[in-house]
Amino acid sequence: MKIQELIQNLGLKPLSRFEDRDISGVFISDMMSDAMANAKSGNLWITVQTHKSIIPAANLVDVAAVIITSGKTVPQDTVELADRHAIALLSTDQPTFDLIGKLYGLGIATS
Amino acid sequence: MKIEAIRDSLKASVLAREDLLGAEVEDIYASDLMSDVLAFGLPNSLLLTGLASQQSLISAHMAEFKAVVLLRGKRAKDGAERFATEHSMVLMSTRLDMYDACVRIHALRDGNGVQPKELGTTQAVDNILLQQKFQIEGNDFSKAGYVSTEVKSMLKKIGVDPVLIRSVAISCYEAEMNVFMHALRAKVDLTVTPRLIEVMLTDEGKGIPDVEQAMQEGFTTATDDQRALGFGSGLGLPNIKRNTDELQVTSEVGKGTTLVMRFFLQRPGS
Ligand SMILES: Nc1ncnc2c1ncn2[C@@H]1O[C@H](COP(=O)(O)OP(=O)(O)OP(=O)(O)O)[C@@H](O)[C@H]1O
Ligand SMILES: [Mg+2]
């Protein structure tokens, strides 16, 4: 599945400019060091962390997109950095656990 | 959902309080950020987290969770097992990651159809008077959360409404963590009268230059190390605000910060 399709299926809110690409697998963590260590290229990274340090991390591990859950307000500097690196930064009001219920319904498998 | 059923679906091993596996949880909360757990977690939930330190357990306890599952085969660190044992929480560990664990519990829940239960009933509180002083030494991070835990059990002992205890516990914990993260040490005064519970926390430390800004959701000066512990999402003070009936924050730069948190007790018939 591609990012745009996912956005439509789950009603996600895109916050940054990005190029559409394929998603392979999901990684959930709110700890930077954890994502750096364990997320894989092409993953969907789901987190409640909004600090701008998530963008370099996302860029480095080359995740397909970052989804911020629980309706967290994302700071402007995080969005700007995502724009600059063309990282797909998406948000949703749903908590992580609820969102996973939907993702699983769409048949996206884990990494 | 029965904790036991969740254990089975996650193929988790039980690290503490196997005797409580028969209990039910009403919701699942998946996060590594402890302020998030305190802000959004509902009582009687189960926490799925990758953070294996005692802080996870203390946060879960403050938020009235019944069980904690450590993900990706994490072993319990510090005093996590002992804390879970002492505070009646089931502690488990699974090899699954957060995504797979969420998926399995969803599958389990879809099969069972869980019914949310009513929150705990209000207990009468009358003629109580309690006064207690505590000391927080900010340099010993392994002790973070002890004062809040103590306050919580004292209030429980005198029969304060569990819903109110939760608000007090969450507020105390956030305030206490702020001493560890942002100040040096603090004195805590707990006072309970028939009318209210008051917690006054006076710290020595750098102080807050702009209190109004600090109160805003998301504002933080936390370091990367602190974030790695799952704190530093700038939710602590807003969380305290939400949980108190009255809150005063006064601060002097270079000296310290004082928090006065008041919680009104509801007396029967009032
Ligand atoms: N006792 C304190 N002494 C000095 N500064 C403080 C104190 N408490 C809070 N602050 C300042 O206010 C900011 C916001 O505090 P708040 O508790 O809301 O968030 P946080 O501690 O940064 O993150 P968390 O979401 O984990 O609580 C802190 O980052 C810090 O700069
Ligand atoms: Mg804080």
Side-chain angles (χ1 to χ4, degrees):
Chain A
M1 183 177 294
K2 285 197 189 279
I3 302 170
Q4 288 296 358
E5 215 177 326
L6 186 81
I7 291 174
Q8 300 209 318
N9 276 316
L10 297 180
L12 303 171
K13 197 168 138 211
L15 303 176
S16 63
R17 285 184 299 268
F18 61 90
E19 267 178 45
D20 206 10
R21 66 184 268 199
D22 272 322
I23 297 162
S24 64
V26 184
F27 181 79
I28 313 174
S29 182
D30 303 322
M31 290 183 289
M32 219 61 63
S33 50
D34 189 24
M36 299 288 286
N38 299 301
K40 298 191 182 72
S41 174
N43 275 182
L44 204 55
W45 178 18
I46 299 177
T47 184
V48 292
Q49 280 279 17
T50 57
H51 187 254
K52 65 173 187 286
S53 56
I54 60 174
I55 303 301
N59 200 16
L60 225 84
V61 260
D62 186 39
V63 297
V66 182
I67 304 182
I68 312 281
T69 57
S70 294
K72 286 286 157 70
T73 332
V74 182
Q76 196 49 38
D77 53 359
T78 303
V79 175
E80 279 163 17
L81 205 58
D83 270 336
R84 194 171 330 143
H85 295 284
I87 300 285
L89 186 61
L90 319 171
S91 81
T92 173
D93 285 342
Q94 301 183 60
T96 300
F97 181 70
D98 299 25
L99 183 75
I100 301 311
K102 307 242 159 79
L103 268 176
Y104 149 67
L106 288 177
I108 295 189
T110 185
S111 49
Chain B
M1 260 179 298
K2 263 218 170 67
I3 299 176
E4 195 166 17
I6 296 175
R7 187 228 17 214
D8 292 346
S9 76
L10 301 181
K11 295 205 185 352
S13 51
V14 181
L15 307 176
R17 297 309 295 255
E18 194 152 9
D19 57 311
L20 299 177
L21 281 176
E24 299 264 336
V25 290
E26 289 163 28
D27 204 1
I28 309 292
Y29 203 77
S31 181
D32 304 322
L33 268 191
M34 292 309 126
S35 283
D36 230 58
V37 173
L38 294 168
F40 303 113
L42 300 173
N44 303 321
S45 296
L46 175 144
L47 174 66
L48 294 172
T49 184
L51 202 66
S53 74
Q54 195 186 11
Q55 292 312 317
S56 304
L57 273 297
I58 297 178
S59 302
H61 177 55
M62 292 302 132
E64 303 275 356
F65 279 31
K66 284 195 173 159
V68 175
V69 178
L70 307 178
L71 301 162
R72 276 185 276 144
K74 292 253 170 74
R75 301 256 188 95
K77 282 198 288 204
D78 317 330
E81 272 172 42
R82 204 186 49 227
F83 190 90
T85 305
E86 274 168 19
H87 297 281
S88 307
M89 286 183 292
V90 179
L91 177 63
M92 304 188 276
S93 168
T94 175
R95 302 183 92 105
L96 302 177
D97 69 6
M98 200 182 274
Y99 181 69
D100 284 335
C102 288
V103 164
R104 291 205 191 183
I105 298 174
H106 271 290
L108 178 71
R109 188 154 81 172
D110 291 350
N112 290 356
V114 271
Q115 307 267 316
K117 282 204 213 100
E118 290 284 311
L119 292 183
T121 47
T122 310
Q123 263 171 22
V125 178
D126 212 348
N127 287 330
I128 49 161
L129 192 77
L130 174 73
Q131 202 148 27
Q132 185 73 40
K133 288 187 192 302
F134 304 92
Q135 192 81 31
I136 301 172
E137 280 303 329
N139 51 13
D140 186 358
F141 207 83
S142 68
K143 292 242 164 59
Y146 275 66
V147 170
S148 317
T149 308
E150 195 55 31
V151 167
K152 185 177 169 174
S153 56
M154 289 183 100
L155 295 178
K156 200 167 168 184
K157 230 173 260 166
I158 57 171
V160 176
D161 171 13
V163 179
L164 188 62
I165 292 183
R166 185 169 188 271
S167 295
V168 179
I170 287 176
S171 307
C172 272
Y173 186 55
E174 290 286 11
E176 187 177 357
M177 291 315 300
N178 278 352
V179 175
F180 284 90
M181 301 216 312
H182 314 296
L184 300 172
R185 63 187 69 83
K187 281 201 282 246
V188 184
D189 286 285
L190 167 71
T191 313
V192 185
T193 74
R195 201 174 62 82
L196 58 75
I197 298 170
E198 183 185 277
V199 181
M200 186 165 91
L201 189 149
T202 313
D203 75 34
E204 287 168 46
K206 60 179 191 244
I208 306 175
D210 184 345
V211 172
E212 205 180 308
Q213 182 187 39
M215 293 297 302
Q216 278 170 19
E217 225 164 83
F219 177 82
T220 183
T221 57
T223 63
D224 290 355
D225 284 353
Q226 293 169 335
R227 278 167 208 284
L229 280 168
F231 285 93
S233 54
L235 276 176
L237 288 172
N239 211 0
I240 295 173
K241 179 86 193 157
R242 207 172 313 124
N243 276 289
T244 47
D245 292 307
E246 264 177 35
L247 171 66
Q248 285 165 18
V249 185
T250 44
S251 192
E252 201 176 319
V253 174
K255 263 191 99 179
T257 304
T258 299
L259 253 67
V260 181
M261 304 179 275
R262 292 204 184 96
F263 311 84
F264 299 134
L265 290 162
Q266 291 197 336
R267 302 171 65 193
S270 71

